[in-house]
Amino acid sequence: MAKKTVASLQTSSKRLTKAIKMVKSPKTGAYTFVESVMAPEFVNEWLAKK
């Protein structure tokens, strides 16, 4: 189960996107949030990765 939240960030020369993914821990079953800032073309690939 993943929750997708994407916010666009723009710096002086590069366009970046901050993606937040909700990941379930295999040990405890609790959910944690993983954040990453990357180029917009890599967001879907990052979200699909487990």
Side-chain angles (χ1 to χ4, degrees):
M1 178 178 208
K3 183 175 182 179
K4 180 179 176 181
T5 303
V6 177
S8 294
L9 306 172
Q10 193 168 6
T11 60
S12 59
S13 62
K14 289 187 177 182
R15 187 165 173 253
L16 299 173
T17 301
K18 180 178 182 179
I20 303 170
K21 180 169 48 172
M22 192 166 79
V23 180
K24 187 173 184 178
S25 171
K27 291 181 182 178
T28 62
Y31 286 96
T32 59
F33 292 95
V34 179
E35 298 180 14
S36 182
V37 176
M38 66 198 82
E41 56 268 9
F42 299 119
V43 172
N44 287 333
E45 179 183 316
W46 182 78
L47 289 171
K49 195 170 49 170
K50 287 190 178 185

